[in-house]
Amino acid sequence: MTKSSAGGTAATTASPAVRSGRGGRPRASSRRTLEDAAGELFLEQGYARTTIDQIAQRAGVGRNTFFNYFATKSDLLWLDVDDTLRALPEVLATVPAGLAPSAALREALLGLAVRHPHRGIPLALSQREAIGAEAEFRASGLERFLGVAAELGTFLAARSGRAPGDPLVRAASSAAVAALVSGAADWALTGVERGALADAVRDAVDPVCRGYALALDAAPAATR
Amino acid sequence: MTKSSAGGTAATTASPAVRSGRGGRPRASSRRTLEDAAGELFLEQGYARTTIDQIAQRAGVGRNTFFNYFATKSDLLWLDVDDTLRALPEVLATVPAGLAPSAALREALLGLAVRHPHRGIPLALSQREAIGAEAEFRASGLERFLGVAAELGTFLAARSGRAPGDPLVRAASSAAVAALVSGAADWALTGVERGALADAVRDAVDPVCRGYALALDAAPAATR
DNA sequence: CGAGTTTCGGTACTCAGTCCATAATGAGTC
DNA sequence: GACTCATTATGGACTGAGTACCGAAACTCG
């Protein structure tokens, strides 16, 4: 209630990606500048030893301007990922209607993976020795994880004709997202020779979808 | 690196549950007192509006003493859960050796569920309207989640004759733990008429184990 | 040129978590 | 009992993230 997670989606970014209403003072170049400054500083000093003041200062803006663009310091660790996650509703909408629930689930996750840019690997992972932000990275990750799982849950409920709160639906979406994340992390940690993200995700997610297919694709028990 | 997660296990509590070495000043009643004080205050004012100073003050101890028992304010939200998670290594050790990897995974998770006290439901869930700490609860949850997943991963690797970092193993343990958590959360949110935790967990976890059984129980590919 | 709207920047504040130095309280030893 | 050692309790001071508030820029629209 206090800080982020206002929207409900995974993305925590303070300001919308696109220019908001018309009129008003135009944004300076700030956002990109801040990202770059932060990246440099993280590499130089590590995440923990870098303060928001320093980032703002190097970017040549005031401290408050930082919070105008990012709700949290840890948002900087999820730059490209948040972009992809923001696209989830769009991805869900394009999943063909005829599919069985478990297949639709699979399709949705793969759609997300396909959309993600091949170079979009969080700094915290690609440079993790230098940055040393594993702990923060993890802690800030769950919010995103749960956001996706929840969104996927309502999608899955609709596709399977079940109630949104159905335990089976929730378990399936949680497990599937966990597999997705695990696969994506493995992919990100592989060197340059890594293949397509979608392949890694498929390997990780497929078993989950198969596992839940039996229960999920059957008609829901009328009551309960 | 900065704060918690030193041990590697899920439990973040600063001080060991049992009295450490012999000698030294005896602990005051503090720990339990702190827990109670925190519980009261959370119910009265909510989590966010309760400061550590207030908790310590009501418990009649100094502020630093609080950090002697808990590494983090959010640790207070996980009291009974952390106890159960701490028992994971023990649970893993008692999983029969003959089982197939996927069955062993199932057994381990159920063992954890069986061990958990029936009343041990985090305040943040049972009183969630009054406490309003969902966000904090979530954020502090991932650390525990990942701790269990990692521990389970090495267990699973050993049982299946695979490398500890094997993507399949990691995906399986992540997905299984996610299902476990999902099931446990549903169980916790059910009213008094809830049955055994183990039943809820079984329903959630079974499909995952079945899904990975095919790949996991087969002999690992020699190379790679 | 206003009027409205948005961003920018500074000051001041709260509070979690850390560090350090110092007492208090016991056990074990001689 | 006196002394040492280990452990816990406590107080003071500090860092840094996140919030709130206010006034000043900068731009659009009428």
Side-chain angles (χ1 to χ4, degrees):
Chain A
M1 173 169 281
T2 30
K3 46 169 135 183
S4 52
S5 80
T9 317
T12 322
T13 317
S15 75
V18 270
R19 188 64 186 294
S20 16
R22 61 188 158 291
R25 176 174 178 169
R27 318 196 105 162
S29 54
S30 313
R31 173 166 189 123
R32 187 54 191 275
T33 316
L34 281 165
E35 291 179 4
D36 294 343
E40 292 173 21
L41 286 166
F42 288 169
L43 287 177
E44 292 173 19
Q45 323 175 341
Y47 177 86
R49 304 180 54 92
T50 301
T51 76
I52 295 186
D53 287 281
Q54 292 172 341
I55 299 174
Q57 191 170 351
R58 177 168 302 198
V61 302
R63 199 181 99 99
N64 283 319
T65 302
F66 175 90
F67 288 105
N68 242 341
Y69 289 92
F70 306 96
T72 296
K73 187 183 173 188
S74 56
D75 281 2
L76 292 168
L77 300 174
W78 294 91
L79 292 180
D80 309 84
V81 177
D82 276 340
D83 285 344
T84 299
L85 293 186
R86 230 188 314 273
L88 179 56
E90 198 177 333
V91 170
L92 292 183
T94 66
V95 173
L99 292 180
S102 67
L105 177 62
R106 195 187 102 120
E107 217 50 41
L109 294 178
L110 287 184
L112 216 51
V114 168
R115 212 182 195 87
H116 191 72
H118 189 266
R119 319 189 73 82
I121 298 177
L123 271 182
L125 290 182
S126 61
Q127 310 284 341
R128 71 181 203 276
E129 329 73 31
I131 294 190
E134 301 257 10
E136 278 289 326
F137 186 64
R138 293 170 163 213
S140 55
L142 188 53
E143 205 168 338
R144 291 161 171 86
F145 176 101
L146 289 176
V148 175
E151 216 164 328
L152 216 53
T154 68
F155 165 79
L156 197 53
R159 289 298 179 102
S160 71
R162 286 182 163 77
D166 188 296
L168 181 68
V169 167
R170 291 170 43 143
S173 40
S174 293
V177 177
L180 164 78
V181 172
S182 170
D186 282 326
W187 171 82
L189 290 177
T190 310
V192 216
E193 80 278 9
R194 70 174 147 261
L197 170 59
D199 291 335
V201 168
R202 182 181 9 245
D203 287 345
V205 165
D206 261 352
V208 176
C209 295
R210 270 204 316 271
Y212 282 99
L214 196 66
L216 211 51
D217 297 347
T223 331
R224 190 210 177 200
Chain B
M1 172 169 280
T2 30
K3 46 171 139 183
S4 49
S5 81
T9 317
T12 322
T13 316
S15 75
V18 270
R19 188 65 187 293
S20 17
R22 60 188 158 291
R25 176 173 178 170
R27 319 197 102 161
S29 52
S30 313
R31 170 159 193 130
R32 187 55 190 275
T33 316
L34 281 165
E35 293 178 3
D36 294 344
E40 292 173 21
L41 286 167
F42 288 169
L43 287 176
E44 292 173 19
Q45 323 176 340
Y47 177 85
R49 304 179 53 91
T50 301
T51 75
I52 294 186
D53 287 281
Q54 292 172 341
I55 298 174
Q57 191 170 351
R58 178 168 301 198
V61 303
R63 198 181 100 99
N64 283 318
T65 303
F66 175 90
F67 288 104
N68 241 339
Y69 288 93
F70 306 96
T72 297
K73 187 183 172 189
S74 56
D75 280 2
L76 291 168
L77 300 174
W78 295 90
L79 292 181
D80 309 84
V81 177
D82 277 340
D83 286 344
T84 299
L85 293 186
R86 229 188 315 271
L88 179 56
E90 197 176 334
V91 169
L92 291 182
T94 66
V95 173
L99 293 179
S102 68
L105 177 61
R106 196 186 102 119
E107 216 50 41
L109 295 178
L110 287 183
L112 216 51
V114 167
R115 212 179 195 90
H116 191 71
H118 189 266
R119 321 188 72 82
I121 298 177
L123 271 182
L125 290 182
S126 61
Q127 310 284 341
R128 71 180 202 276
E129 329 75 30
I131 294 189
E134 301 256 10
E136 278 289 325
F137 186 64
R138 294 169 163 215
S140 55
L142 187 54
E143 205 169 337
R144 290 161 172 86
F145 177 102
L146 289 176
V148 174
E151 215 165 329
L152 214 53
T154 68
F155 166 78
L156 198 52
R159 289 300 179 102
S160 71
R162 287 181 163 77
D166 188 295
L168 181 67
V169 166
R170 291 169 45 141
S173 39
S174 293
V177 176
L180 164 78
V181 171
S182 170
D186 282 326
W187 170 82
L189 290 177
T190 310
V192 217
E193 79 279 10
R194 71 175 146 261
L197 170 59
D199 291 334
V201 167
R202 179 180 12 242
D203 288 345
V205 165
D206 260 351
V208 177
C209 295
R210 271 205 315 271
Y212 282 99
L214 196 65
L216 211 51
D217 298 346
T223 329
R224 190 211 179 197

